[in-house]
Amino acid sequence: MDVKRIPAKKGDYNLQNYEEMCETFSWDDMKRNFTWNETGKVNMAHEAIDRHAQDPNKKNQTALIYSAPNREEKLTFGQLSEQSNKFANVLKKYDVTKGDRVFLFMPRSPEFYVAFFGILKTGAIAGPLFEAFMEQAVRDRLQDSEAKILITTPELLERVPQEDLPALEKIILVGESDAGSARYINYHSEMQTASANFAIEWVDLEDGMLLHYTSGSTGKPKGVYHVHNAMIQHYATGEWVLDLKEDDVYWCTADPGWVTGTSYGIFAPWLHGNTNVVRGGRFSPEDWYGTLDTHNVTVWYTAPTALRMLVSAGEAVVNKFDLSSLRHIMSVGEPLNPEVVTWGLKAFDLRIHDTWWMTETGAQLIVNLPSEEIRPGSMGKPIPGIKATIVDNEGNEIPPNQMGNLAIKEGWPAMMRAVWNNPSKYESYFVNGWYVSGDSAYKDEDGYFWFQGRLDDVINTAGERVGPFEVESKLLEHAAVAEAGVIGKPHPERGEIIKAFITLNDGYEKSDELLEDIRQFVKTGLSAHAAPREMEVRDSIPKTRSGKIMRRLLKSWELGLPTGDTSTLEE
Ligand code: WTA
């Protein structure tokens, strides 16, 4: 096979000797970078924020640049430390203690980051929710986690089904509101009177830090549980993969409701004491290039969907901006098309480095390193300390160039430690000592991994993971819908879009208005990104004899592919 290769430019990269490091590195080496290695006092908020605030040379450095169409604000490490202390005191006042779940449901804003670290300082577990979630999505997550406190905005309050959430004691509202309830607390008035001194809760490395809900192919979203120990790998990958140096201005475009927005939008850059750009508002090519230009961003972590939209926006747009500060670009979340890598060489005169990982893995595992050759279309190679391979269904390794299930030797620092309330789900990820990802891939003779697709029915639309079950369940709640089967359909810009096949209940006639009504029902009940972009009414939905929807068959029909084994199909 003729594979295009892009050699590394010569440069002063943090990780130069990849091959040698793979031989010699042990995760214990990385622990020496942390103060707890000597003091025994652990807390992510200390390592990422307070440690810098206590350093006279870093205290007044900008930690956060928040930039949105209607708001620009900067916070130094000193300010972020002090304000998160105040917020931790607010939480303490309302009886938050170690291990409690405190959820955030709000747009990106300086208050989000202040509250986030305030939560960690109390030893509680933070649960960030994507702001576009609607009532059903919010209900599922707050019920399963039994969140005690929710931080949200008055605008989002109507999507919080308070009567269904008995464990929820208080709601902290960020913004002016005249809504009255004994449950409500106002963020701004509490912060005004809170003390800026807080005795941080020292925790164990294995204590809970974060719950990220994510989708599988069956059942409701699952709470992926991460512990403070993950910081070892956030730090390591910040050094090797993000290649962060002291003066870098870093921008990760992901929302903190998704794992990229926490591991790499919060932890990695601040563990390294970098200035971190957060952009609010919607995507537009002008605004995004403008952000890179205005803030002189040097290291940029983004996603294929966004890059594809920038490609479509054309050269004239990119040429309006001065992007000469930019020195390193990475991508995550979906396959990175080789054409986009080629475009990047022209548009930025830089390589775009693909990285592969998952909510469950907590941090990057397979990557293109700045010092290594890139093979466009490949996710790259495992970072030092990680053993990756391809396994068959029994968890046995299979030879190079054969497709199978991408698997990682269990036990890396940022690995999830549980699925909340669901030990059997957690165990199902591990086979024969391997964490089995559910992604199909192959490895070439030189150890580069090539992504092929999902082995289950999980949909990846514009980089966001959507479980078909969640969408099908919502569709069934609509009075007109009798049965529903949901698949991902390939799409040039969004990777996949959601297509729903439905049958109608008696008394309903197919019409454009009805289909639009059903679509809106999912959009306003669950979330915009989970709403089907295409819908098709059928006489029946194919099911197995045991009643499972055969999504694979729907997909084969949709794409005109061979249907394979249909022996379990119900008559
Ligand atoms: C997909 C995002 C191809 C994959 C950090 C994985 C990718 C799922 C890549 C996890 C990549 C992630 N190339 N596919 N570089 N990175 N994926 O949990 O299917 O939102 O299993 O985590 O995204 O999505 P999640």
Side-chain angles (χ1 to χ4, degrees):
M1 191 173 32
D2 184 26
V3 185
K4 213 178 131 210
R5 297 172 183 199
I6 311 172
K9 270 193 199 160
K10 277 221 161 3
D12 179 22
Y13 306 117
N14 291 339
L15 182 64
Q16 298 278 0
N17 47 345
Y18 170 71
E19 304 286 338
E20 188 192 319
M21 275 288 277
C22 288
E23 298 284 311
T24 58
F25 174 77
S26 114
W27 287 108
D28 284 338
D29 304 341
M30 215 16 92
K31 295 181 181 166
R32 281 195 285 278
N33 291 295
F34 295 91
T35 49
W36 48 252
N37 200 41
E38 265 142 45
T39 62
K41 293 177 170 170
V42 177
N43 191 310
M44 173 66 98
H46 174 78
E47 295 297 329
I49 303 296
D50 289 358
R51 185 170 57 96
H52 307 304
Q54 288 158 15
D55 174 351
N57 297 317
K58 284 210 83 93
K59 182 175 189 239
N60 296 319
Q61 184 198 313
T62 302
L64 172 71
I65 299 179
Y66 179 77
S67 170
N70 53 2
R71 188 172 173 195
E72 294 276 336
E73 206 166 310
K74 289 184 180 173
L75 289 177
T76 63
F77 281 106
Q79 291 167 325
L80 197 46
S81 170
E82 211 174 277
Q83 292 195 29
S84 53
N85 273 352
K86 286 186 171 202
F87 193 73
N89 278 317
V90 175
L91 293 176
K92 264 267 155 342
K93 178 171 158 191
Y94 294 101
D95 294 331
V96 169
T97 55
K98 191 171 150 184
D100 284 343
R101 276 78 59 211
V102 178
F103 271 61
L104 301 124
F105 177 44
M106 60 194 287
R108 274 166 269 186
S109 65
E111 291 80 8
F112 177 95
Y113 296 88
V114 167
F116 186 87
F117 282 109
I119 296 169
L120 298 193
K121 284 181 175 184
T122 66
I125 299 165
L129 298 181
F130 186 44
E131 61 168 300
F133 284 148
M134 304 305 279
E135 188 172 302
Q136 185 69 45
V138 174
R139 179 189 289 112
D140 287 343
R141 288 156 178 81
L142 295 183
Q143 276 182 345
D144 183 66
S145 61
E146 294 178 281
K148 182 170 178 173
I149 304 241
L150 175 69
I151 302 137
T152 188
T153 64
E155 294 76 26
L156 294 178
L157 196 55
E158 65 176 23
R159 301 193 209 153
V160 182
Q162 296 185 45
E163 57 294 348
D164 303 338
L165 303 169
L168 189 64
E169 291 176 11
K170 295 285 175 201
I171 297 179
I172 304 182
L173 290 169
V174 182
E176 293 314 313
S177 162
D178 47 20
S181 157
R183 258 184 181 173
Y184 301 159
I185 304 168
N186 185 273
Y187 175 91
H188 297 286
S189 46
E190 293 281 342
M191 288 290 277
Q192 255 164 22
T193 54
S195 159
N197 297 315
F198 183 78
I200 195 167
E201 180 80 28
W202 299 116
V203 299
D204 191 88
L205 282 167
E206 291 297 320
D207 279 335
M209 173 173 78
L210 194 60
L211 260 185
H212 266 301
Y213 278 80
T214 193
S215 304
S217 54
T218 57
K220 291 192 168 181
K222 290 152 188 86
V224 174
Y225 175 74
H226 287 293
V227 298
H228 287 259
N229 189 69
M231 73 173 86
I232 298 169
Q233 198 172 345
H234 296 146
Y235 186 91
T237 49
E239 180 178 322
W240 302 333
V241 187
L242 278 48
D243 195 43
L244 291 170
K245 315 270 190 340
E246 183 141 21
D247 295 331
D248 276 316
V249 177
Y250 170 82
W251 179 28
C252 168
T253 60
D255 188 274
W258 311 118
V259 73
T260 308
T262 52
S263 293
Y264 295 99
I266 297 180
F267 302 136
W270 280 330
L271 285 168
H272 283 272
N274 284 101
T275 298
N276 192 14
V277 175
V278 171
R279 211 200 131 67
R282 290 179 155 269
F283 172 87
S284 93
E286 275 82 4
D287 285 350
W288 277 37
Y289 287 135
T291 299
L292 293 169
D293 182 345
T294 312
H295 300 294
N296 296 309
V297 171
T298 57
V299 178
W300 188 34
Y301 199 8
T302 188
T305 294
L307 291 165
R308 287 191 293 261
M309 291 197 278
L310 293 177
V311 176
S312 323
E315 245 166 82
V317 190
V318 61
N319 289 339
K320 282 195 273 185
F321 297 88
D322 175 6
L323 305 181
S324 56
S325 304
L326 202 55
R327 69 167 182 86
H328 183 40
I329 310 178
M330 290 152 292
S331 165
V332 68
E334 305 158 71
L336 178 63
N337 324 60
E339 313 83 87
V340 173
V341 179
T342 307
W343 166 82
L345 289 172
K346 226 171 89 204
F348 306 118
D349 192 23
L350 292 171
R351 308 190 307 175
I352 301 174
H353 299 76
D354 194 10
T355 64
W356 177 91
W357 56 293
M358 304 172 70
T359 308
E360 293 87 338
T361 74
Q364 297 162 336
L365 295 176
I366 296 177
V367 303
N368 287 287
L369 287 166
S371 61
E372 292 287 300
E373 173 182 283
I374 284 181
R375 302 184 177 181
S378 162
M379 311 183 286
K381 297 188 277 190
I383 58 169
I386 293 297
K387 185 162 162 40
T389 195
I390 305 295
V391 296
D392 62 18
N393 291 339
E394 281 73 50
N396 301 309
E397 288 191 65
I398 60 176
N401 293 321
Q402 288 184 26
M403 257 167 69
N405 210 324
L406 174 54
I408 311 293
K409 190 90 201 153
E410 65 178 283
W412 64 94
M415 188 176 94
M416 64 171 168
R417 294 300 198 265
V419 175
W420 195 257
N421 278 336
N422 200 342
S424 62
K425 176 66 199 172
Y426 179 75
E427 269 150 38
S428 72
Y429 282 94
F430 300 94
V431 182
N432 200 18
W434 297 98
Y435 164 84
V436 178
S437 70
D439 281 358
S440 79
Y442 69 88
K443 179 170 84 164
D444 68 22
E445 291 90 354
D446 301 323
Y448 281 78
F449 284 80
W450 300 76
F451 178 84
Q452 302 295 300
R454 277 299 296 178
L455 287 159
D456 58 19
D457 299 329
V458 169
I459 300 164
N460 189 336
T461 177
E464 278 155 19
R465 239 167 106 171
V466 176
F469 176 83
E470 220 184 339
V471 184
E472 288 160 1
S473 305
K474 195 74 212 167
L475 284 164
L476 294 184
E477 284 177 28
H478 191 284
V481 179
E483 286 185 311
V486 166
I487 62 161
K489 179 179 174 181
H491 183 269
E493 227 165 49
R494 306 181 72 83
E496 287 182 311
I497 55 163
I498 296 174
K499 171 149 191 178
F501 297 87
I502 55 171
T503 62
L504 296 178
N505 278 320
D506 287 348
Y508 287 91
E509 285 291 328
K510 178 185 157 183
S511 72
D512 288 347
E513 293 74 45
L514 178 63
L515 292 186
E516 185 52 26
D517 187 67
I518 296 172
R519 215 177 78 78
Q520 286 301 327
F521 180 77
V522 178
K523 192 170 169 178
T524 55
L526 197 55
S527 79
H529 68 273
R533 293 204 162 213
E534 284 187 20
M535 270 199 292
E536 188 175 316
V537 177
R538 295 179 49 92
D539 293 334
S540 67
I541 303 289
K543 287 192 292 296
T544 62
R545 291 197 189 106
S546 59
K548 276 195 191 145
I549 293 158
M550 293 184 82
R551 302 185 188 115
R552 308 246 112 192
L553 195 56
L554 286 169
K555 195 154 180 168
S556 306
W557 287 341
E558 180 66 28
L559 305 181
L561 299 172
T563 48
D565 180 8
T566 55
S567 57
T568 58
L569 185 65
E570 182 193 57
E571 287 307 308

